[in-house]
Amino acid sequence: MVTQTLGRRWSILALLTLLLMASCGASAVELWSDEEGRRGELAVAGKATFLASDAPSDPVLFPDDHSETTLARLRLGLEVTHSDWMDSELAYEQRARRRSGSTGVGAGSSFLPSQARAPFRLAQLDWEIAADDSSSYRHEIDRGLVALHPTWGDVTIGRQAIGLGRGVLFGAVDVFNPFSPLDVDREWRRGVDAFRAEYRLSATSSAECIAAFGETWEQSALLGRLRGYLGDIDGSLIVGKRARDSMVGSAFSAVVGGAEVHGEFAVFDTPEVQTDGTLWGGGHLATVTLIGSSYTFDVGNGLTLLGEYHYSDFGVEDAEDVLVRLQDRDFRRRFLRGDMQILGRQAVAGQLSYPFSDAVNGSFLVLTNPTDSSGVISPSLRWDLDANVTLIGSIFVPWGDEPSGGRFRSEYGATPTSLFLQAAVYY
């Protein structure tokens, strides 16, 4: 009975998404407006996603070699302008996921949105409508904020998305729900419950306070940030606490000889000892850093090359220790919270991007772990059929030592070969 009920509800959401995709309208629906500038707009987005994966031949980690996952996602966003100094936003989602075959340990988790509890929330506001062994149907309030714009700066209160870093694929100071480097759908970062106030010190600098609230003080964050820019250089300094960690970090970006250069550096004082040691030689001061650059060559419509190097003391030195470390409560908590975007300690990534036309964009990503010689290549194509409909296709092909006997032998050798397809419509 539960399976039949879930099947009917999943089908209803899938049907709503397909109906949305069959009709294209304006980029948003204006609900009301007046002569004083007050207005309300409703943005609707629907996504249908399909992921087919062939896992490595290890029946302990991957009971089924082949699996297929289908997702339907319907998002409603209400934006209200109350005056020239106050506006608000609310976003509500329904999402359904159906899986055939057992994906085993971590299959597809790098490509699809996380189903873990979102950190830095007073209450999840994420409810299960129905679920069984192979399907789930949930709904969630992902945004709920009021933004004030006094003459001296900006104040935002409520559930919001917060990004702090300069990195494209990796991050060191981006502590609030960062994306995975293999995450294809980066459109909506999960919201956190926060108070954010920015005071403009001058035309080129500002001071900011960010308080993100969890269910307890140990699950909350309190950060101060100074940032500013001078010519083609901008930077920031961040000090505070993330959950039980004390942290200090910095980020910068600059233009050097026609190339964009960016970097991040952070040190976290952790209550638990990092088992594999740290750059500082101790066990409590964990370093996370990245350095990257991008350059657009004058080739055709413009060929952009991006490269990034990432190091994290939170990762494991040897991939064979991954499953053992995931049994540790502190390590598992960090992994689910997004403190580590890679399971290893080092990663190097390169990405080529090229706009074939105004509507078609292609990219080619290479992601590697230089210490175990494993990696993933991923060609992708994005086609904007018009202003409202987008199609995305990606292929993920890993290399490296595959797992054996239920043990990882390399970081990316345990990644399934996968095909990702997504259709999205907005109005």
Side-chain angles (χ1 to χ4, degrees):
M1 177 64 71
V2 174
T3 301
Q4 293 177 347
T5 301
L6 177 58
R8 286 196 299 268
R9 290 174 173 175
W10 195 97
S11 299
I12 291 172
L13 179 57
L15 178 60
L16 287 173
T17 303
L18 290 173
L19 288 174
L20 178 62
M21 291 182 173
S23 61
C24 296
S27 58
V29 178
E30 185 175 86
L31 301 178
W32 72 86
S33 64
D34 61 25
E35 296 179 352
E36 297 181 3
R38 293 175 294 194
R39 66 181 184 276
E41 293 184 335
L42 178 66
V44 184
K47 295 188 177 185
T49 302
F50 173 78
L51 178 72
S53 299
D54 281 312
S57 298
D58 186 342
V60 178
L61 294 180
F62 304 98
D64 295 322
D65 290 342
H66 182 74
S67 64
E68 295 179 353
T69 305
T70 306
L71 296 91
R73 190 175 182 183
L74 184 63
R75 185 179 178 98
L76 307 177
L78 176 63
E79 297 184 3
V80 179
T81 300
H82 302 276
S83 66
D84 58 358
W85 59 271
M86 177 179 178
D87 52 72
S88 60
E89 180 181 347
L90 178 69
Y92 166 78
E93 277 196 11
Q94 290 197 21
R95 59 184 186 275
R97 181 182 301 227
R98 173 173 288 176
R99 184 182 66 245
S100 64
S102 174
T103 54
V105 179
S109 62
S110 296
F111 316 131
L112 300 177
S114 173
Q115 295 193 96
R117 286 170 57 90
F120 305 110
R121 288 185 175 182
L122 291 168
Q124 287 296 303
L125 302 183
D126 183 346
W127 303 276
E128 180 181 275
I129 298 175
D132 59 25
D133 292 339
S134 61
S135 303
S136 65
Y137 184 17
R138 308 186 66 86
H139 61 154
E140 174 186 12
I141 296 177
D142 187 51
R143 299 284 190 273
L145 62 89
V146 174
L148 308 176
H149 312 288
T151 56
W152 49 263
D154 295 286
V155 177
T156 307
I157 306 168
R159 182 157 297 178
Q160 56 192 285
I162 299 178
L164 301 178
R166 298 292 191 274
V168 178
L169 298 173
F170 305 108
V173 300
D174 206 2
V175 298
F176 301 111
N177 292 326
F179 291 110
S180 160
L182 291 176
D183 201 341
V184 179
D185 190 348
R186 291 168 169 255
E187 186 166 359
W188 299 300
R189 184 193 298 262
R190 297 190 77 181
V192 298
D193 296 338
F195 169 85
R196 188 175 187 180
E198 182 176 23
Y199 182 81
R200 285 188 285 273
L201 300 173
S202 69
T204 60
S205 62
S206 65
E208 185 175 16
C209 174
I210 303 172
F213 307 103
E215 295 177 3
T216 67
W217 172 247
E218 290 188 344
Q219 297 173 347
S220 302
L222 180 61
L223 302 176
R225 180 167 71 153
L226 289 173
R227 61 176 176 168
Y229 66 89
L230 177 63
D232 293 330
I233 303 174
D234 74 87
S236 62
L237 174 67
I238 301 171
V239 179
K241 66 161 290 225
R242 172 193 62 184
R244 297 191 302 161
D245 304 335
S246 300
M247 70 166 290
V248 58
S250 63
F252 79 92
S253 64
V255 177
V256 180
E260 180 274 342
V261 179
H262 58 269
E264 300 176 21
F265 180 84
V267 176
F268 298 86
D269 186 2
T270 67
E272 80 277 11
V273 173
Q274 303 306 309
T275 304
D276 291 332
T278 72
L279 278 181
W280 300 96
H284 291 278
L285 294 180
T287 300
V288 183
T289 187
L290 76 90
I291 185 72
S293 179
S294 64
Y295 185 83
T296 300
F297 296 90
D298 187 15
V299 176
N301 296 323
L303 178 66
T304 300
L305 173 62
L306 166 73
E308 287 190 343
Y309 168 79
H310 179 50
Y311 176 87
S312 173
D313 274 332
F314 291 123
V316 298
E317 193 74 39
D318 190 336
E320 293 188 1
D321 298 331
V322 165
L323 294 182
V324 174
R325 294 289 298 278
L326 283 172
Q327 303 305 312
D328 178 77
R329 182 180 61 181
D330 292 326
F331 186 88
R332 187 170 61 252
R333 182 190 299 117
R334 290 191 182 279
F335 175 72
L336 294 175
R337 192 170 60 201
D339 293 1
M340 55 194 77
Q341 295 175 290
I342 55 174
L343 286 172
R345 290 211 154 183
Q346 297 186 63
V348 178
Q351 185 177 54
L352 282 172
S353 303
Y354 184 78
F356 294 98
S357 67
D358 291 339
V360 180
N361 289 268
S363 67
F364 189 87
L365 172 68
V366 180
L367 173 65
T368 67
N369 181 328
T371 60
D372 63 23
S373 301
S374 67
V376 179
I377 60 173
S378 176
S380 298
L381 192 68
R382 177 188 176 100
W383 182 15
D384 296 322
L385 294 178
D386 58 26
N388 304 93
V389 181
T390 297
L391 302 179
I392 298 176
S394 299
I395 300 172
F396 300 91
V397 181
W399 75 85
D401 293 336
E402 295 187 355
S404 176
R407 296 189 67 183
F408 278 46
R409 297 173 61 212
S410 68
E411 180 172 1
Y412 296 110
T415 302
T417 301
S418 303
L419 170 67
F420 175 95
L421 299 172
Q422 185 180 84
V425 64
Y426 311 89
Y427 74 83

